């Protein structure tokens, strides 16, 4: 084995910062529309609550359909080429939506935005450009950037719409995407290699094994349901704020206060979940908070404070789940299968976004705004019941180790010794990648024994 410093190299810092920025800016463009589309749709011909919901969520359908093919294509023709192609498609969709004067034009533009499905290619390029010792931290940076982009979108979207209208939001998104192209080619360094990474990419041989596991299935259900209710309620939330006396130009400030406070409230809950191994409890608590907040949002409010309070409860639960669900997935996924598990998880998320927007629009169209919250609360309650019997995930973490010797005899001997190390729960060796994937229990791990085994031979 070879031992490498975990300090970031200059090329790794550039890759992480550039690719995290690309991922975040793309998600920013998708999310900025959420708090404003329903309010400004009266300027679009043919707009109905149902079609507004479809416009909100349609990107999820095209994203779910194309993210895996785009990732596989990047293995063949190169990461940067696929990412650049996806960014151009995303920019084209933004321009189509910006120039649209009908709801069908916006739906087409949002669908095109989703066709720029570059998430898998970005993660693969990041894996190409980072060493195994720093890859987990690099992936965590991407995850953090998504959460930050969502919070910024909730504030920036209403401000841009109040200044330049709905079209201005889409034009800003197109401009941001073109800036992303410059970052991709001028800042992100060229990849020194193009390999398959089982901790990042999809492995079709493991697909059936992953989707048949009940513990992982529950997490897929969770991210599906979470983004379903998120998309659905944004057919109604902007009108709730308006009816409570919050002028359109102040919606951004309202979301700023809600998101900031919800992030502050989330942090100690995440610490409890991680440090005290209370993942299941925090998950049920978050879903319960979403059920209660959605039920309460269906009631008429005489004061703004109550509306803002229940939105704070909802987004605290939302942010807590966004932070803990990927962590639970990482703990539960078999060694060497995290990339496949994450691919199924992400597809579930995007399908939830599509169905959520459509469902929210349908409920609003048939029975009004209250029905959106009542229907989502009912679905969230079923989700809570489905998660009730979920066992607590074990305190496992993933490690990727570079192999020094890939001879069969040496690997077989290493596997035998690893099986005797206390705390090593699962091992997968991939000689063609010159990597070994481990799942270890940090609380029980005999770190000294593991270090001795993984140290390079003395010469």
């Amino acid at each position: 084995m070879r031992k490498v410093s975990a300090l970031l190299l200059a090329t790794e810092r550039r890759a992480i910062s550039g690719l995290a920025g690309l991922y975040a800016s793309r998600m920013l463009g998708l999310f900025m529309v959420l708090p404003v589309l329903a309010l400004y749709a009266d300027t679009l011909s043919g707009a109905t609550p149902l079609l507004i919901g479809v416009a909100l969520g349609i990107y999820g359908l095209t994203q779910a359909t194309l993210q895996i093919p785009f990732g596989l294509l990047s293995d063949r023709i190169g990461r940067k080429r696929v990412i650049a192609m996806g960014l151009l498609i995303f920019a084209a969709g933004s321009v189509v939506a910006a120039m649209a004067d009908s709801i069908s034009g916006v739906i087409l533009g949002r669908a095109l935005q989703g066709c720029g499905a570059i998430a898998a290619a970005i993660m693969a390029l990041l894996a190409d450009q980072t060493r195994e010792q720093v890859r987990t931290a690099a992936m965590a940076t991407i995850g953090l950037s998504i959460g930050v982009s969502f919070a910024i979108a909730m504030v920036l979207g209403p401000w841009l719409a109040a200044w330049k209208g709905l079209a201005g939001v889409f034009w800003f998104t197109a401009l941001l995407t073109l800036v992303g192209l410059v970052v991709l080619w001028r800042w992100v360094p060229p990849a020194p290699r193009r390999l398959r990474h089982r901790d990042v990419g999809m492995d079709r041989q493991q697909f059936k094994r992953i989707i048949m596991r009940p513990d992982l299935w529950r997490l897929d259900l969770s991210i599906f349901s979470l983004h379903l209710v998120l998309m659905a309620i944004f057919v109604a939330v902007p009108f709730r704020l308006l009816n409570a006396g919050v002028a359109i130009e102040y919606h951004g400030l309202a979301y700023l206060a809600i998101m900031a406070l919800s992030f502050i409230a989330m942090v100690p809950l995440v610490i409890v979940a991680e440090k005290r191994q209370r993942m299941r409890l925090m998950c049920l608590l978050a879903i319960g908070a979403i059920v209660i907040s959605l039920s309460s949002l269906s009631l008429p409010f005489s004061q703004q404070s109550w509306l803002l309070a229940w939105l704070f409860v909802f987004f605290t639960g939302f942010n807590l789940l966004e932070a803990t669900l990927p962590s639970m997935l990482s703990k539960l996924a078999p060694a060497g299968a995290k990339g496949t598990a994450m691919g199924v998880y992400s597809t579930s998320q995007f399908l939830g976004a599509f169905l959520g927007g459509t469902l929210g629009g349908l409920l609003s169209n048939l029975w009004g705004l209250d029905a959106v919250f009542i229907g989502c609360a009912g679905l969230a309650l079923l989700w809570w019941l489905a998660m009730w019997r979920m066992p607590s995930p074990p305190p496992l973490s993933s490690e990727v180790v570079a192999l020094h010797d890939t001879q069969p005899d040496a690997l077989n001997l290493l596997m035998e010794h690893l099986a005797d190390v206390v705390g090593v729960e699962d091992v997968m060796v991939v000689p063609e990648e010159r990597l070994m994937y481990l799942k270890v229990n940090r609380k029980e791990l005999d770190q000294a024994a593991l270090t001795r085994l993984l140290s390079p031979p003395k010469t």
Side-chain angles (χ1 to χ4, degrees):
M1 310 304 153
R2 61 181 184 266
K3 198 172 182 179
V4 184
S5 171
L7 294 176
L8 288 176
L9 304 175
T11 54
E12 289 174 330
R13 286 195 295 270
R14 288 179 60 181
I16 292 170
S17 61
L19 293 173
L22 282 178
Y23 206 116
S25 63
R26 183 175 171 279
M27 299 310 295
L28 179 68
L30 290 171
F31 289 144
M32 278 195 300
V33 179
L34 296 188
V36 299
L37 181 57
L39 290 175
Y40 289 84
D42 56 359
T43 63
L44 303 170
S45 64
T48 65
L50 173 59
L51 293 180
I52 292 170
V54 172
L56 283 174
I58 189 64
Y59 83 90
L61 180 62
T62 50
Q63 175 85 26
T65 303
L66 294 175
Q67 70 158 343
I68 293 176
F70 266 47
L72 297 175
L73 182 62
S74 76
D75 292 335
R76 296 175 61 87
I77 69 172
R79 316 293 192 206
K80 282 197 172 185
R81 290 180 181 179
V82 169
I83 294 171
M85 180 174 65
L87 288 173
L88 289 172
I89 294 172
F90 187 82
S94 302
V95 171
V96 168
M99 298 179 66
D101 57 6
S102 66
I103 190 65
S104 58
V106 173
I107 291 173
L108 175 61
R110 291 279 285 175
L112 277 173
Q113 286 183 323
C115 287
I118 58 174
I122 287 178
M123 300 300 275
L125 180 57
L126 186 63
D128 289 341
Q129 296 180 322
T130 53
R131 293 160 299 153
E132 298 81 13
Q133 290 80 6
V134 301
R135 192 168 299 149
T136 298
M139 298 303 169
T141 302
I142 295 283
L144 178 62
S145 72
I146 297 172
V148 172
S149 68
F150 178 78
I152 294 174
M154 292 296 100
V155 179
L156 190 57
W159 179 77
L160 282 173
W163 179 38
K164 290 293 184 180
L166 183 61
V169 176
F170 288 114
W171 283 121
F172 178 80
T173 300
L175 177 63
L176 201 61
T177 306
L178 296 179
V179 172
L181 282 169
V182 177
V183 171
L184 175 66
W185 291 108
R186 303 294 294 179
W187 178 253
V188 177
R193 54 187 172 166
R194 190 164 74 238
L195 301 172
R196 293 178 61 197
H197 304 277
R198 294 170 189 261
D199 58 335
V200 175
M202 174 72 73
D203 184 352
R204 284 172 287 187
Q205 295 178 345
Q206 296 176 321
F207 182 75
K208 183 177 179 180
R209 176 189 178 193
I210 292 298
I211 63 173
M212 296 301 291
R213 283 187 46 165
D215 51 357
L216 296 178
W217 179 84
R218 284 190 174 97
L219 298 182
D220 297 333
L221 171 67
S222 292
I223 198 63
F224 171 88
S225 303
L226 183 64
H227 281 261
L228 185 151
V229 298
L230 175 71
M231 283 294 164
I233 67 170
F234 269 103
V235 175
V237 165
F239 293 110
R240 274 286 191 265
L241 288 172
L242 203 60
N243 295 338
V246 181
I248 292 178
E249 58 268 26
Y250 294 114
H251 281 202
L253 291 176
Y255 289 121
L256 175 62
I258 292 167
M259 297 304 295
L261 291 174
S262 66
F263 270 114
I264 293 171
M266 172 199 70
V267 170
L269 299 177
V270 172
I271 293 173
V272 170
E274 291 284 355
K275 299 297 184 182
R276 300 189 179 182
Q277 300 301 316
R278 295 291 187 268
M279 285 283 188
R280 176 180 177 273
L281 176 61
M282 290 299 105
C283 181
L284 291 172
L285 178 64
I287 301 171
I290 288 174
V291 173
I292 294 171
S293 61
L294 290 175
S295 302
S296 300
L297 286 168
S298 68
L299 304 173
F301 294 96
S302 58
Q303 294 181 339
Q304 290 181 11
S305 56
W306 281 108
L307 173 63
L308 298 177
W310 287 119
L311 285 173
F312 159 76
V313 172
F314 173 85
F315 280 108
T316 300
F318 175 86
N319 290 327
L320 178 58
L321 288 167
E322 280 284 334
T324 56
L325 288 175
S327 177
M328 293 172 69
L329 184 77
S330 180
K331 289 176 171 59
L332 291 171
K338 187 167 71 172
T340 304
M342 185 58 73
V344 176
Y345 175 90
S346 298
T347 300
S348 302
Q349 171 184 328
F350 294 125
L351 287 175
F354 167 64
L355 292 176
T358 304
L359 177 64
L362 180 63
L363 291 173
S364 178
N365 201 65
L366 293 176
W367 296 295
L369 299 181
D370 293 348
V372 176
F373 296 109
I374 294 171
C376 288
L379 289 173
L381 179 59
L382 294 175
W383 169 23
W384 189 89
L385 293 173
M387 297 296 287
W388 175 253
R389 296 178 66 93
M390 177 187 70
S392 296
L396 302 182
S397 58
S398 301
E399 283 198 12
V400 183
V401 180
L403 293 174
H404 174 74
D405 190 348
T406 58
Q407 296 301 314
D409 291 343
L411 291 179
N412 291 334
L413 182 61
L414 178 61
M415 293 284 287
E416 291 177 9
H417 289 313
L418 282 172
D420 296 330
V421 176
V422 176
V424 175
E425 303 291 337
D426 192 13
V427 181
M428 181 180 185
V429 176
V430 188
E432 62 270 23
E433 295 181 17
R434 301 184 63 85
L435 293 175
M436 175 182 295
Y437 299 89
L438 305 177
K439 299 287 288 193
V440 299
N441 187 328
R442 293 290 181 192
K443 288 191 172 183
E444 302 176 0
L445 181 64
D446 185 346
Q447 186 65 58
L450 182 62
T451 301
R452 284 195 300 270
L453 280 174
L454 301 183
S455 298
K458 294 181 180 180
T459 57

